Structures are given as structure tokens and as C-alpha cells.
Amino acid sequence: QVQLVESGGALVQAGGSLRLSCAVSGLTFVSYSMGWFRQAPGKDREFVGAISWSGSMTTYEDSVKGRFTISRDNAKNTVYLQMNNLTPGDTAVYYCGAGSKVIADTADKYDYWGQGTQVTVSS
């Protein structure tokens, strides 16, 4: 049974930082690229960033470039999203997804999803 479990979401003030984690089980972690997406109320799920299976390649949505960093620990089957300089516009439920070996920025390329973790940024 494949499980992706996000954690680390919280209420934080603008300018603050959070680190989200996504622990993966039930699949061969190194066979998958990993992505982070977010969904704000009333909006579609949007791409945040992704990392290749080896961790050597990353890609980010423009609004988070320079503020967010994705990393992974293949020994721990975990992917992270470090978020700095948060703004109220970052408020959303954040989801991690496991996809093919090629990193992708669309949700349809991901096979498995976690349940999400809430990030709320107050002004």
C-alpha cells in the first residue's frame, strides 16, 4: 500500500519560514520524481516545485523561486519543502506527489498523492 504523508504545516506570520516533509512508503522511492503542489480555497491545484529521483535536478514555479527549496533524502524515503519569506499568498493546502522518473510540473504526471498539510500565512 502506497502512502505519502505530509507534515509540517502551520500558522506562521508573513516573512517566516516552514519546512514541510513528505514521508513515502510502499514504493521504490528512488524510482520516482517528487513534486509539491498547493491548493488555495476556490482555486485549482497548482505546481510549486519538483525534484528528480536522484535529487540532482529541481524546478520551481516562478513565484516561489529563490524562496522555496526542495530536497530529498533517499535513505529516509522523504522529500522536503523548505519555505522562506512566506507571504499570505502562500496560504494553501500543500500536497506532495510521486511521479515518473522525469520531473514534471503538471498534476496528471503524478501517480500517488498525500492527504495534504495546511499552511496559513498571516499578514
Side-chain angles (χ1 to χ4, degrees), residues 3-7 21-25 29 76-79 96:
Q3 284 192 312
L4 285 71
V5 181
E6 301 96 335
S7 60
S21 299
C22 173
V24 180
S25 60
F29 188 61
K76 295 182 178 180
N77 285 11
T78 301
V79 62
C96 66

Side-chain angles (χ1 to χ4, degrees), residues 32-37 47-53 57-61 70 97-110 113:
Y32 289 84
S33 61
M34 297 297 298
W36 285 96
F37 287 72
F47 174 72
V48 174
I51 187 166
S52 62
W53 67 273
M57 294 178 58
T58 55
T59 185
Y60 299 94
E61 192 270 332
I70 297 176
S100 68
K101 271 194 173 181
V102 177
I103 59 174
D105 60 1
T106 56
D108 63 345
K109 296 296 192 294
Y110 291 83
W113 294 94

Side-chain angles (χ1 to χ4, degrees), residues 32-93:
Y32 289 84
S33 61
M34 297 297 298
W36 285 96
F37 287 72
R38 65 187 180 186
Q39 188 166 18
K43 294 188 176 181
D44 293 334
R45 189 172 297 193
E46 67 171 0
F47 174 72
V48 174
I51 187 166
S52 62
W53 67 273
S54 66
S56 62
M57 294 178 58
T58 55
T59 185
Y60 299 94
E61 192 270 332
D62 285 347
S63 70
V64 308
K65 283 181 182 176
R67 300 190 299 124
F68 290 12
T69 303
I70 297 176
S71 61
R72 65 190 292 163
D73 186 336
N74 286 344
K76 295 182 178 180
N77 285 11
T78 301
V79 62
Y80 305 97
L81 179 64
Q82 177 67 44
M83 306 186 293
N84 298 327
N85 195 20
L86 285 160
T87 73
D90 296 316
T91 295
V93 177

